[in-house]
Amino acid sequence: MRDAWLSLPDVVAARRRTLRVLVAAQVVGALGYGAGPSVGVLLAQEVTRSEAMAGIARASTTIGAAVIALPLGMLAARAGRRRALTLAWAVAAAGSAVLVLSAAAGSTALLVLGMVALGAGTAAGLQARFAATDLAEPAHRGRSLSLVVWVGTIGAVLGPNLGVPGEALEARTGLPALSGAFAIAAVLLALTAVVVGLFLRPEPLDVVRRHTVPTAAPGTAPAAAADAALPPEPDATLTSRPTAPDATSRPTAPPPLRLRAALREVRRSPAASFALLALVLSHLAMVSVMTMTPVHLSHQGHGITVVGLTISLHVLGMFAFAPVMGALADRVGAVPTVLLGQVVLLASAVVGVAGEERTDAVVLALFLLGVGWSMVTVPAATLLSGAVETASRPLVQGASDSAMNAAAAVGAIASGPLLAVVGFAGLSAASALCVVPVVVAVVRRRTLVHA
């Protein structure tokens, strides 16, 4: 069996340790960068004094995540998950510190720079869910990935409320208004970087390579050994090693990794192409509607209480049911679960169109939008990880995260004009269009249903 190595004692121990570290990092890290969507919006308005510049600042975190995700995946492929995630969390911590400086100086340039750097935290959180699958058994990849997504609920719910302890810190230290939350976030994100840097050992990708890359005897040229062992079949690099490597042998260096070759691998794989399509479009649909919902509710005369409750329920739908989605994907398959998610996304759009003037309908539409996003994202990310070769995964995953955040940035920017022209009902209807290409892809390739 090619995956027999995953049952070896050292691999099982590494898997458990990796999951524990990733869970801890996700909780603390998400709490740190969770201040961006709430306090960051207020800080942008305070510093820029311009609605146009405030909009750019608000989108900077998403743009930063899109820009950082791909290099982060490339770094993981070359240097490992530990170094990539540690660097990303450290950059996010530095971004939070820069936001404190921007509040003190009233500098728009520092504000945008800090928000872009804070996007590294989002990129790290996305890569962490993929890192959970590096050592997971194929039958349980969905469960492992969903666990890391699920624990993000804590940070996603509590992070936006860092403004309360932030105000207390400002009163005690004399920090500028709205900067205390980011001072706290900087400490939390730095702590996350330290936890990952110290405790994400052994390096998950090193464990994978040790058991899947052919070994070379001492004195053998690594490149020659690797070239001699390259098989014609794409998945042959996953050949199992039922026993630990001999003490006199060492793993050969992996062949050079190139982004273009990794993306060609995605195009050649119907399952990987489908997973990437589903991830990007579900994220586009979710962000487009979610971004403008607070504005729509405020136009209806609702205050921060109703807006906060609506977004909280939306976030609950996104993260709280992730373990259920992972278990469902493991049991019935990733593609059937993604298709079920399309039904939920479509239901959200229908409720949004029919009930745009009713607060309870808008709240329900946002909750369903979160559930549908989760029902698509968890199995699609699992499918993407399993559909490409081991060596290509970090690059493909980084490209996926980058594409998701790029789509989110486009959706966030376009949603404002759409709301102004066609209203919340039109915006909801537009989000339903994202379902069509995913369903068409399955109809055209019916063999995907069994993936």
Side-chain angles (χ1 to χ4, degrees), residues 276-301:
L276 183 58
L277 177 71
L279 283 168
V280 171
L281 290 180
S282 67
H283 206 56
L284 175 61
M286 187 274 292
V287 171
S288 299
V289 177
M290 182 269 293
T291 300
M292 284 296 110
T293 299
V295 177
H296 174 64
L297 289 173
S298 67
H299 288 169
Q300 290 184 324

Side-chain angles (χ1 to χ4, degrees), residues 22-366:
L22 291 175
V23 165
Q26 194 77 330
V27 170
V28 181
L31 182 59
Y33 68 73
S38 57
V39 184
V41 170
L42 299 175
L43 181 61
Q45 293 173 337
E46 178 68 23
V47 170
T48 64
R49 303 290 183 179
S50 163
E51 185 58 36
M53 288 304 300
I56 294 174
R58 287 195 296 267
S60 295
T61 299
T62 304
I63 294 170
V67 171
I68 293 168
L70 181 55
L72 197 64
M74 298 174 73
L75 179 61
R78 288 173 171 78
R81 298 286 192 192
R82 181 173 63 85
R83 291 181 180 176
L85 290 174
T86 299
L87 177 62
W89 291 120
V91 169
S96 290
V98 170
L99 288 172
V100 176
L101 295 177
S102 76
S107 169
T108 300
L110 287 176
L111 174 70
V112 172
L113 178 62
M115 294 292 272
V116 168
L118 190 62
T122 303
L126 289 172
Q127 188 179 124
R129 78 196 198 284
F130 281 125
T133 68
D134 288 338
L135 298 175
E137 295 172 300
H140 297 139
R141 281 197 183 114
R143 184 178 66 183
S144 297
L145 185 146
S146 64
L147 174 62
V148 174
V149 173
W150 176 68
V151 297
T153 308
I154 300 172
V157 172
L158 297 181
N161 298 300
L162 281 182
V164 177
E167 288 180 344
L169 181 63
E170 292 159 13
R172 286 176 174 269
T173 61
L175 285 171
L178 300 174
S179 67
F182 290 106
I184 297 172
V187 174
L188 292 172
L189 291 165
L191 177 62
T192 306
V194 170
V195 168
V196 172
L198 290 180
F199 299 109
L200 193 60
R201 301 171 186 272
E203 162 59 44
L205 292 178
D206 282 350
V207 176
V208 173
R209 292 175 185 131
R210 185 166 68 246
H211 291 281
T212 60
V213 177
T215 57
T220 304
D227 290 340
L230 283 177
E233 295 296 329
D235 291 329
T237 53
L238 295 175
T239 304
S240 62
R241 296 182 55 82
T243 57
D246 185 80
T248 61
S249 63
R250 53 181 172 81
T252 62
L257 298 172
R258 294 182 175 87
L259 177 62
R260 189 173 298 176
L263 293 180
R264 279 201 303 268
E265 187 176 342
V266 172
R267 289 196 296 269
R268 287 196 303 264
S269 168
S273 299
F274 171 79
L276 183 58
L277 177 71
L279 283 168
V280 171
L281 290 180
S282 67
H283 206 56
L284 175 61
M286 187 274 292
V287 171
S288 299
V289 177
M290 182 269 293
T291 300
M292 284 296 110
T293 299
V295 177
H296 174 64
L297 289 173
S298 67
H299 288 169
Q300 290 184 324
H302 295 295
I304 192 64
T305 301
V306 173
V307 171
L309 176 62
T310 302
I311 298 302
S312 293
L313 288 174
H314 171 69
V315 170
L316 189 70
M318 288 177 64
F319 297 111
F321 304 105
V324 177
M325 308 311 176
L328 187 63
D330 287 339
R331 180 175 293 273
V332 305
V335 174
T337 307
V338 168
L339 287 177
L340 186 57
Q342 303 306 306
V343 174
V344 178
L345 289 174
L346 187 59
S348 169
V350 170
V351 173
V353 170
E356 67 168 334
E357 299 300 330
R358 292 174 47 196
T359 302
D360 57 347
V362 173
V363 173
L364 177 60
L366 261 288

Side-chain angles (χ1 to χ4, degrees), residues 4-13 15 211 241-245:
W5 65 274
L6 290 168
S7 300
L8 294 174
D10 66 311
V11 177
V12 173
R15 179 190 309 135
H211 291 281
R241 296 182 55 82
T243 57

